[in-house]
Amino acid sequence: AGEVRFDQVRFGYDPEREILHGVSFTVPAGHTLAIVGPSGAGKSTIARLLFRFYDIQGGRISIDGQDIAGVTQQSLRAAIGIVPQDMVLFNDTVGYNIGYGREGATQEEIEAAARAASIHDFIMGLPQGYDTRVGERGLKLSGGEKQRVAIARTLLKDPPVLVLDEATSALDSRTETEIQEVLRSIARRRTTLIVAHRLSTVVDAEEIVVLDQGRIVERGRHADLVRAD
Ligand code: ADP
Ligand code: ADP
């Protein structure tokens, strides 16, 4: 499960000003799609439309063949996990922060999610491991560490589709590298992964689409597009 399909999707926040002019792509279950392109191209908008935060004005968005227009917000949230760009951590333990939203998660499950997000070893190196307090009044984590905690939290919910919206975040290059490693390990799971990113040097995606002013202007595998540059 986890096939995501956009069919000629048209959308504008203001119906008078269309932002997406007929966007189509299919991400087979378990595959990775990277959406790249300049700022303002519409990458974050695509990510938001998957959650039906807004109604589209034309076309169709479906998950596993089902039009999301007929799906409740609740089941959409179960089907799709989104990693926010800037997660706010609670003033609590790192274990609590990863387990938040999954009542009754066992320590083993929390650690497995942390491993998948490549943050387990880091946590084990903290003064009190998973019991170390983080957040404003605890240990201050770097942007990359916070983001990996956010990814672990989302992975713990084990959604068939995972959306990472990196479209506007300005991560330093070391953090970028860390996150890309995490994405590679997620891409090896059965999770469908959709990444919105400014750069084309992003993940080993099965497909990359280049979006420009609300249109897909190029698509292909990573290596092909790099050659085209
Ligand atoms: P990207 O993620 O590629 O940088 P966005 O999807 O954020 O692009 O934005 C695409 C276009 O939609 C831009 O012109 C932007 O100004 C506009 N836009 C984004 N969010 C909103 C919003 N909430 N209301 C109105 N316009 C928006
Ligand atoms: P839950 O209790 O399931 O965590 P939330 O209200 O926190 O419910 O959000 C459900 C999903 O939608 C989460 O994965 C969250 O990250 C995502 N989400 C909520 N608001 C936004 C937003 N403004 N932009 C993008 N994603 C959002």
Side-chain angles (χ1 to χ4, degrees):
E3 184 203 71
V4 176
R5 195 178 161 115
F6 271 55
D7 268 318
Q8 290 298 321
V9 171
R10 296 185 171 274
F11 172 74
Y13 294 91
D14 170 356
E16 305 285 286
R17 187 178 159 241
E18 197 175 85
I19 300 281
L20 299 178
H21 313 287
V23 168
S24 303
F25 58 78
T26 303
V27 197
H31 279 218
T32 298
L33 172 77
I35 305 169
V36 304
S39 174
K43 304 181 293 297
S44 295
T45 301
I46 288 178
R48 285 177 208 133
L49 290 180
L50 265 170
F51 285 91
R52 242 185 61 206
F53 288 148
Y54 306 93
D55 290 327
I56 56 176
Q57 280 115 33
R60 185 174 191 264
I61 302 173
S62 53
I63 298 178
D64 293 325
Q66 196 179 7
D67 191 333
I68 66 165
V71 170
T72 62
Q73 279 290 340
Q74 200 182 6
S75 29
L76 268 185
R77 283 173 186 198
I80 311 172
I82 187 160
V83 180
Q85 290 191 24
D86 196 15
M87 187 179 74
V88 178
L89 293 177
F90 299 104
N91 291 311
D92 208 305
T93 66
V94 64
Y96 175 87
N97 272 284
I98 292 174
Y100 176 78
R102 248 289 313 269
E103 262 51 69
T106 65
Q107 182 64 21
E108 285 71 30
E109 287 168 330
I110 288 174
E111 287 183 18
R115 274 199 194 88
S118 304
I119 188 98
H120 173 72
D121 288 349
F122 168 82
I123 294 168
M124 293 308 283
L126 295 175
Q128 293 172 280
Y130 281 84
D131 293 330
T132 307
R133 294 186 73 89
V134 295
E136 260 163 48
R137 275 178 279 141
L139 192 75
K140 198 166 150 36
L141 301 181
S142 75
E145 288 150 9
K146 265 168 73 171
Q147 195 159 26
R148 283 181 288 164
V149 168
I151 292 171
R153 183 190 289 173
T154 307
L155 285 177
L156 185 59
K157 295 179 189 163
D158 202 20
V161 181
L162 188 66
V163 179
L164 211 85
D165 184 3
E166 287 281 285
T168 55
S169 70
L171 299 175
D172 59 54
S173 62
R174 193 174 132 247
T175 307
E176 289 264 344
T177 311
E178 285 173 8
I179 299 302
Q180 286 188 30
E181 276 166 25
V182 176
L183 294 182
R184 283 199 191 94
S185 83
I186 297 172
R188 286 194 291 269
R189 294 157 57 104
R190 59 199 159 72
T191 311
T192 306
L193 181 63
I194 298 180
V195 186
H197 203 284
R198 284 163 297 120
L199 307 169
S200 56
T201 56
V202 55
V203 271
D204 303 324
E206 271 91 4
E207 190 175 31
I208 297 197
V209 297
V210 181
L211 197 69
D212 191 14
Q213 296 183 30
R215 285 194 174 79
I216 293 177
V217 292
E218 189 98 60
R219 62 175 86 213
R221 289 199 55 113
H222 188 194
D224 304 335
L225 294 175
V226 169
R227 268 199 300 278
D229 283 345

